[in-house]
């Protein structure tokens, strides 16, 4: 690559892009770790994008109508941090750049959305950013249809690498985007043909250009180091009604001895090679030094959006007050004032009518009263709408001819759906939820983990939550999935026992601001177990006394979901034998753990023997079975220790000995009565 020709062709552009390259080399040298090659190779693309196309105000990174920039190739985080420092972001200072990858710095090894306002999403696991971007673009379309173009009209830009496009979730994402003609989505592919192991040809021969075209995208191929070509391509992409992919042919680690090699992917810290690369760039400043004229030019780019932002504020002030209030409320993640009263009224109705329905149906019934008053909810299902019960009649279907639709048919794309929902939540102003079978949390898991890590309140509706789904057999019967979900930090896992608990679980999920929720819902019908109306949300306490012992309390049976019915039946057997038994419903272990110790002790006092019942593995229950009492405590578990089987649900519960009789027998054994 003729660096001298690039420098002389457009010195102003070159100097701006060289600042990104120099800062990248300096920061990674100081950290002695990181990924130099991608920021060095994509510096030209990023410079043109930010200088000529990105709508943003560096002084207000949370401006609702800003363009979104997603670095899907998150390992190249110094590209993002360099840009933010150069344009004058108040949080990503020079000190933060100098402390790249160090403890307490906002400049983590991979971008983390909660560390700085201008970081749109947490990336690093390849493919997640491009999948998130689909949700960002959908959210923009939905809000533009609802609030109008003068309030919502922005683009989503993505820089993705070869690795992002190899990950399977990328195909799920581009398929969805092409189907829905998300014309505000523009992906800039860093086409450098290098992976960690070597050239792309070692493992892949996909024609990415044809792949995107086949999925319904507008595609262009350009020289990723030619600013005129980059500018023209982005301009054309913005005019397309289709999502756009621009294949930017680049050289990884441009100008360095490791250029165009797999070594160029990682940390380039050799002093001599760094000095040689900077000399080739014409960069004579010291480490972390950016000449005043170049820094000022970048800061002017960062300030360019100030006037656009001010004009947007005027436009926003011109829309009706009620729309302003709704827009602001949704972005602030505040629930409508009506929500609490609506849930209370619904609970009272259910307590009085006491229906026997599957909790997947309970969820639908709850959504039928929530969705009309909470217009920011956007629902969907991975091709299981009729099984997940996630669609309500008022929502309308999101499509090319109905951008106001709030229900998405995601197709058989659990991973893509979940990642896109995260993108909707990160975009702001949307409360996304989507459904599949509980066992397919396996397919959605990377996105579920990132929702928790990113501190966003995505709601994952997981039905068919146990062997209770019956004849579909062990491939579809989740036994370990509750434990996996519960083991994930910053995640609420709700397994409601009836319609009342389901409504309460939804209320918590839709008022959470920083924690995602997993709703584990039954296929089989369950009786109403909350027969006394309580205005208080008991499920918000995580666990509570559903029925107390008659007489001296000798045993406590804990259960969640469909097994609460079994716990109550076991209590009846034990009480008939004079054994005082308390039943504790545990719809959400994580919320119970958040309660103060005095409350937990009141619910689970020392002394009585304890048995937990759940049609899943034991893992997670010992915290409440044994607790502070240690391994010598008299406690046991009734549940699964193997995969399931194909048979009617009732037969399976008998086969695996998850019954009231077996539960009562466990209690008696612990009491020395059998």
């Amino acid at each position: 690559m003729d660096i001298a020709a690039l420098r002389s062709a457009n010195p102003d552009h070159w100097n701006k892009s060289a600042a990104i390259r120099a800062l990248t080399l300096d920061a990674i040298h100081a950290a002695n770790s990181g990924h130099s090659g991608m920021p060095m190779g994509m510096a030209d693309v990023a410079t043109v994008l930010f200088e000529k196309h990105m709508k943003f105000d560096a002084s207000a990174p949370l401006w609702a109508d800003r363009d979104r920039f997603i670095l899907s190739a998150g390992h190249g985080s110094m590209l993002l941090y360099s840009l933010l420092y150069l344009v004058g972001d108040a949080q990503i200072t020079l000190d933060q750049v100098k402390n790249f990858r160090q403890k307490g710095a906002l400049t983590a090894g991979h971008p983390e959305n909660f560390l700085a306002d201008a970081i749109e999403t947490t990336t690093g696991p390849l493919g997640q950013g491009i999948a998130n971007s689909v949700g960002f673009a959908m959210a923009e379309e939905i809000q533009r249809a609802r609030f109008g173009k003068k309030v919502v009209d922005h683009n989503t830009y993505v820089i993705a690498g070869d690795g992002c496009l190899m990950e399977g979730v990328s195909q799920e994402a581009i398929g969805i985007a092409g189907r829905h003609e998300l014309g505000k989505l523009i992906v800039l592919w860093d086409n450098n043909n290098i992976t960690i192991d070597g050239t792309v040809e070692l493992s892949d021969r996909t024609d990415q250009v044809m792949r995107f075209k086949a999925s319904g995208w507008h595609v262009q191929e350009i020289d990723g180091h030619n600013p005129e070509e980059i500018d023209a391509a982005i301009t054309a992409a913005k005019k397309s009604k289709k999502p756009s992919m621009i294949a930017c042919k680049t050289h990884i680690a441009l100008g360095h001895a490791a250029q165009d090699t797999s070594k160029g992917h990682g940390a380039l810290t050799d002093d001599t090679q760094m000095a040689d690369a900077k000399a080739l760039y014409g960069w004579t400043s010291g480490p972390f030094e950016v000449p005043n004229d170049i820094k000022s030019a970048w800061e002017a780019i960062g300030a360019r959006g100030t006037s656009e932002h001010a004009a947007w504020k005027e436009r926003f002030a011109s829309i009706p007050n009620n729309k302003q209030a709704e827009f602001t409320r949704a972005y602030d993640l505040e629930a409508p004032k009506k929500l609490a009263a609506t849930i209370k009224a619904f609970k009272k109705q259910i307590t009085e009518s006491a229906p026997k329905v599957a909790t997947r149906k309970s969820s639908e019934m709850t959504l039928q009263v929530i969705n009309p008053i909470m217009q920011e909810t956007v629902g969907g299902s991975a091709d299981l709408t009729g099984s997940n019960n996630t669609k309500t009649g008022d929502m309308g279907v999101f499509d090319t001819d109905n951008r106001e639709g709030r229900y998405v048919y995601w197709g058989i794309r659990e991973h893509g759906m979940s990642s896109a929902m995260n993108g909707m939540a990160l975009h702001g102003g949307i409360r996304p939820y989507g459904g599949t079978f509980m066992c397919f949390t396996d397919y959605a898991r990377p996105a579920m983990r990132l929702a928790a890590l990113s501190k966003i309140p995505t709601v994952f509706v997981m039905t068919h939550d146990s062997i209770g789904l019956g004849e579909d057999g062990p491939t579809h019967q989740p036994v370990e999935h509750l434990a996996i979900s519960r083991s994930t930090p910053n995640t609420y896992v709700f397994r409601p026992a009836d319609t009342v608990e389901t409504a309460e679980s939804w209320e918590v999920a839709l008022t959470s601001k920083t924690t995602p929720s997993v709703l584990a819902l039954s296929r089989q019908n369950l009786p109403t177990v909350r027969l006394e109306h309580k205005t208080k949300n008991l499920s918000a306490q995580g666990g509570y006394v559903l029925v107390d012992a008659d007489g001296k309390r000798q045993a406590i049976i804990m259960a969640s979901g469909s097994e609460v019915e079994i716990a109550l039946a076991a209590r009846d057997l034990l009480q008939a034998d004079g054994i005082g038994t308390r039943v504790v419903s545990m719809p959400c272990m994580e919320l119970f753990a958040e309660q103060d110790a005095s409350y937990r002790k009141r619910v689970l006092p020392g002394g009585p023997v304890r048995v937990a019942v759940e049609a899943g593995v034991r893992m997670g229950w010992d915290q409440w079975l044994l607790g502070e009492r240690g391994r010598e405590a008299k406690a046991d578990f009734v549940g699964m220790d193997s995969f399931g089987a194909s048979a009617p649900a009732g037969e399976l519960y008998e086969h695996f000995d998850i019954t009231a009789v077996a539960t009562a027998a466990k209690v008696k054994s612990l009491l020395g009565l059998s």
Side-chain angles (χ1 to χ4, degrees):
M1 191 74 189
D2 190 345
I3 302 294
L6 291 176
R7 287 172 56 186
S8 61
N10 192 329
D12 179 64
H13 163 83
W14 176 262
N15 288 334
K16 292 190 185 79
S17 62
I20 295 172
R21 295 181 174 107
L23 285 170
T24 294
L25 286 168
D26 291 338
I28 290 171
H29 182 268
N32 198 34
S33 72
H35 300 82
S36 311
M38 192 281 278
M40 295 167 70
M42 284 297 279
D44 294 304
V45 172
T47 298
V48 174
L49 174 63
F50 272 68
E51 181 176 13
K52 298 185 180 298
H53 297 279
M54 277 283 292
K55 180 176 71 173
F56 73 105
D57 178 356
S59 67
L62 295 179
W63 169 25
D65 199 37
R66 69 193 180 277
D67 285 345
R68 270 61 169 181
F69 173 64
I70 296 170
L71 187 66
S72 188
H75 57 276
S77 56
M78 267 311 303
L79 177 70
L80 177 58
Y81 303 145
S82 297
L83 286 164
L84 294 179
Y85 162 64
L86 289 168
V87 299
D89 184 272
Q91 293 175 310
I92 305 301
T93 62
L94 186 58
D95 281 343
Q96 292 292 340
V97 173
K98 288 180 178 179
N99 283 287
F100 175 57
R101 286 181 161 237
Q102 304 309 301
K103 183 180 179 182
L106 305 182
T107 48
H110 294 84
E112 297 174 21
N113 66 289
F114 50 88
L115 292 181
D117 292 339
I119 301 174
E120 299 286 1
T121 181
T122 298
T123 56
L126 294 176
Q128 285 300 311
I130 192 171
N132 290 160
S133 74
V134 174
F136 275 85
M138 279 186 168
E140 192 274 345
E141 294 279 2
I142 292 167
Q143 290 189 320
R144 179 153 39 90
R146 183 179 178 196
F147 294 101
K149 189 173 181 179
K150 66 181 182 179
V151 173
V152 180
D153 186 20
H154 54 263
N155 296 306
T156 298
Y157 296 99
V158 184
I159 285 182
D162 291 305
C164 293
L165 301 191
M166 285 190 199
E167 288 288 356
V169 71
S170 70
Q171 182 56 42
E172 297 184 27
I174 69 172
I176 296 166
R179 163 62 183 82
H180 287 291
E181 299 179 10
L182 301 178
K184 293 282 194 174
L185 174 59
I186 299 172
V187 172
L188 301 149
W189 169 35
D190 178 19
N191 179 17
N192 62 40
N193 201 46
I194 295 294
T195 67
I196 292 174
D197 281 349
T199 63
V200 168
E201 285 78 11
L202 284 173
S203 57
D204 194 33
R205 66 188 305 172
T206 303
D207 185 332
Q208 298 292 355
V209 168
M210 292 304 296
R211 175 189 174 207
F212 275 80
K213 285 182 178 178
S215 297
W217 286 57
H218 173 255
V219 182
Q220 303 170 78
E221 297 180 77
I222 64 168
D223 177 352
H225 300 298
N226 184 317
E228 287 75 24
E229 286 191 30
I230 299 166
D231 183 21
I234 297 173
T235 299
K238 288 160 69 175
K239 294 177 181 177
S240 175
K241 293 183 179 179
K242 297 179 179 180
S244 288
M245 189 276 267
I246 304 173
C248 307
K249 189 59 186 172
T250 60
H251 295 272
I252 197 168
L254 181 73
H256 192 278
Q259 177 181 313
D260 298 328
T261 70
S262 58
K263 181 175 173 54
H265 173 85
L268 304 178
T269 57
D270 180 271
D271 291 339
T272 300
Q273 292 179 348
M274 278 182 61
D276 289 347
K278 287 186 178 182
L280 196 58
Y281 299 158
W283 194 264
T284 58
S285 300
F288 297 106
E289 291 181 3
V290 178
N292 289 336
D293 59 332
I294 299 175
K295 183 66 164 72
S296 296
W298 269 111
E299 288 177 353
I301 293 169
R304 188 191 62 228
T306 305
S307 58
E308 287 185 272
H309 187 187
W312 178 85
K313 287 181 178 178
E314 290 184 8
R315 295 196 302 273
F316 183 71
S318 72
I319 68 173
N321 289 340
N322 64 323
K323 280 203 167 187
Q324 291 183 47
E326 275 291 288
F327 187 91
T328 302
R329 179 188 62 73
Y331 266 88
D332 289 344
L333 291 174
E334 297 292 343
K337 292 180 180 178
K338 291 181 180 179
L339 181 64
T342 299
I343 293 294
K344 287 174 185 174
F346 178 68
K347 284 164 53 179
K348 188 173 190 297
Q349 172 195 332
I350 293 301
T351 301
E352 292 170 352
S353 58
K356 184 174 183 177
V357 294
T359 50
R360 61 173 175 159
K361 179 64 176 178
S362 302
S363 175
E364 179 186 34
M365 294 161 63
T366 305
L367 289 170
Q368 283 171 347
V369 300
I370 289 174
N371 282 334
I373 66 167
M374 203 164 181
Q375 292 286 304
E376 65 269 31
T377 56
V378 174
S381 170
D383 200 52
L384 291 166
T385 296
S387 295
N388 299 148
N389 297 84
T390 41
K391 186 175 183 290
T392 59
D394 64 297
M395 302 186 85
V397 176
F398 178 83
D399 210 333
T400 53
D401 60 355
N402 184 23
R403 295 311 205 192
E404 288 187 88
R406 294 159 51 211
Y407 191 81
V408 182
Y409 289 114
W410 293 103
I412 304 91
R413 300 183 177 102
E414 295 87 357
H415 194 176
M417 172 185 74
S418 301
S419 297
M421 289 197 299
N422 287 347
M424 289 182 179
L426 288 159
H427 175 278
I430 299 288
R431 285 276 187 173
Y433 69 86
T436 186
F437 289 167
M438 185 76 188
C439 65
F440 298 145
T441 55
D442 289 339
Y443 289 154
R445 170 73 183 156
M448 296 172 74
R449 178 177 186 267
L450 280 176
L453 195 157
S454 301
K455 304 179 183 180
I456 50 174
T458 312
V459 182
F460 303 96
V461 182
M462 301 297 177
T463 69
H464 297 57
D465 69 340
S466 72
I467 59 171
L469 68 88
E471 292 87 343
D472 277 342
T475 61
H476 282 52
Q477 292 166 1
V479 294
E480 74 273 34
H481 299 74
L482 283 166
I484 291 170
S485 296
R486 287 168 177 158
S487 71
T488 306
N490 189 41
T491 300
Y492 291 146
V493 182
F494 294 97
R495 191 163 185 255
D498 65 2
T499 305
V500 175
E501 284 194 357
T502 303
E504 292 179 335
S505 299
W506 267 112
E507 183 178 22
V508 176
L510 292 177
T511 53
S512 170
K513 293 186 177 184
T514 58
T515 301
S517 297
V518 178
L519 271 64
L521 306 172
S522 75
R523 176 183 183 269
Q524 71 272 35
N525 291 339
L526 305 178
T528 299
V529 297
R530 285 274 292 279
L531 297 174
E532 182 182 352
H533 175 59
K534 300 284 186 181
T535 58
K536 185 176 182 178
N537 188 326
L538 300 184
S539 298
Q541 299 173 112
Y544 63 94
V545 178
L546 179 61
V547 180
D548 212 345
D550 289 335
K552 181 183 177 182
R553 186 189 310 119
Q554 299 180 67
I556 298 174
I557 303 176
M558 297 176 281
S560 77
S562 47
E563 286 69 67
V564 172
E565 175 186 12
I566 292 173
L568 290 170
R571 175 189 178 275
D572 290 343
L573 295 175
L574 292 166
Q575 288 288 170
D577 288 339
I579 301 170
T581 304
R582 167 183 285 186
V583 171
V584 171
S585 180
M586 189 77 76
C588 183
M589 289 185 181
E590 298 77 29
L591 284 171
F592 188 65
E594 290 179 7
Q595 307 307 304
D596 60 63
S598 61
Y599 173 77
R600 297 198 304 269
K601 191 172 181 179
R602 288 199 302 274
V603 174
L604 298 176
V609 301
R610 298 180 190 179
V611 171
V613 191
E614 190 171 72
V617 298
R618 177 169 177 156
M619 186 176 292
W621 277 103
D622 280 355
Q623 180 179 5
W624 314 117
L625 285 170
L626 307 176
E628 73 288 346
R629 304 179 304 164
R631 291 284 164 183
E632 301 306 314
K634 292 184 176 181
D636 211 338
F637 178 72
V638 175
M640 299 293 294
D641 58 10
S642 68
F643 291 109
S646 181
E651 293 181 23
L652 289 173
Y653 274 87
E654 291 286 343
H655 174 74
F656 289 107
D657 224 16
I658 306 174
T659 63
V661 171
T663 303
K666 290 275 190 185
V667 170
K668 289 181 177 179
S669 176
L670 291 170
L671 291 171
L673 300 176
S674 61

